[in-house]
Amino acid sequence: MSAPAAAALVALALSATAAFAQDPALREIEQLAASGRLTEARASLERWTRDHPESAAGIANDVRAHALILTARMAVDPNAARASYQAVALGYPTTSFAAEALLRIGQGLVAAAEIGDRQAATRAVGTLERLASDYPGSPFRPAGLLWLVRAHVLAGRTDRACNVTRDALEVGLDDTDIADMLRVEFSAHSCPGRPPGR
């Protein structure tokens, strides 16, 4: 993925989360992280987590999921990040953060598949298909479809990759960058016919 596309995905993550944040302290932590003050953001999040243990009552699921997403985004250890994303996807599937968690899990599995783990490709397909089917209105769905195409290719299912690409382009995507990347995937894998939407 190109640097501009990656930057666009990060910006999308931050803007989508900001729309749903309900806890002022977590919004402030998010702003610290977005401005590059990661050490301060991590320290503030550690304090928030200490002050709001899992046993504490009265904390909305969306707020708890937001804290886990922030933990994952700022984690130094990829295993810790994955564990936090999985906690959101499995423990808070009805929150506004579940789609992002599934996307990040899927991206990690695709990365593992790219270095030779074919089972990771199959798991990525399942994770990203869940994002596509369970969260049709999510702003993370278009990126999820792009990564789903890549997962299918890595799993040796180029025909399915072509079908996902064609279906996504026929429906139309608001994100023109993702649509352009899907067209590149369509051509790169010699999918039959012309890519829709041109």
Side-chain angles (χ1 to χ4, degrees):
M1 180 178 292
S2 69
L9 286 177
V10 170
L12 174 65
L14 292 174
S15 64
T17 305
F20 295 107
Q22 297 175 355
D23 185 284
L26 294 179
R27 280 198 301 270
E28 184 177 332
I29 292 166
E30 182 128 36
Q31 290 167 356
L32 288 170
S35 66
R37 295 160 64 187
L38 289 175
T39 302
E40 192 177 343
R42 286 187 185 108
S44 295
L45 184 57
E46 284 176 16
R47 278 193 302 276
W48 187 94
T49 303
R50 204 171 40 248
D51 293 344
H52 301 83
E54 286 290 328
S55 59
I59 300 174
N61 284 347
D62 221 50
V63 171
R64 190 68 75 187
H66 188 195
L68 284 166
I69 283 286
L70 290 174
T71 300
R73 286 190 203 151
M74 292 187 286
V76 176
D77 176 15
N79 292 325
R82 182 173 51 250
S84 292
Y85 285 131
Q86 287 174 337
V88 174
L90 297 174
Y92 303 98
T94 61
T95 68
S96 56
F97 299 95
E100 179 185 354
L102 288 171
L103 175 61
R104 303 306 175 213
I105 294 166
Q107 288 172 324
L109 290 167
V110 167
E114 286 175 337
I115 57 173
D117 184 351
R118 285 185 64 98
Q119 289 182 342
T122 303
R123 292 198 316 273
V125 166
T127 298
L128 294 164
E129 282 181 339
R130 181 177 159 203
L131 166 55
S133 64
D134 292 0
Y135 304 93
S138 169
F140 294 98
R141 188 175 186 270
L145 292 171
L146 176 64
W147 286 86
L148 176 57
V149 167
R150 294 174 178 168
H152 275 308
V153 170
L154 289 165
R157 303 169 181 162
T158 306
D159 57 332
R160 291 188 187 175
C162 290
N163 290 340
V164 170
T165 305
R166 183 179 289 104
D167 291 347
L169 292 172
E170 282 177 352
V171 169
L173 297 171
D174 292 336
D175 189 322
T176 55
D177 290 336
I178 296 287
D180 288 344
M181 286 185 265
L182 282 169
R183 287 188 189 91
V184 169
E185 296 283 344
F186 190 93
S187 300
H189 305 300
S190 302
C191 296
R194 291 170 53 84
R198 284 213 173 243

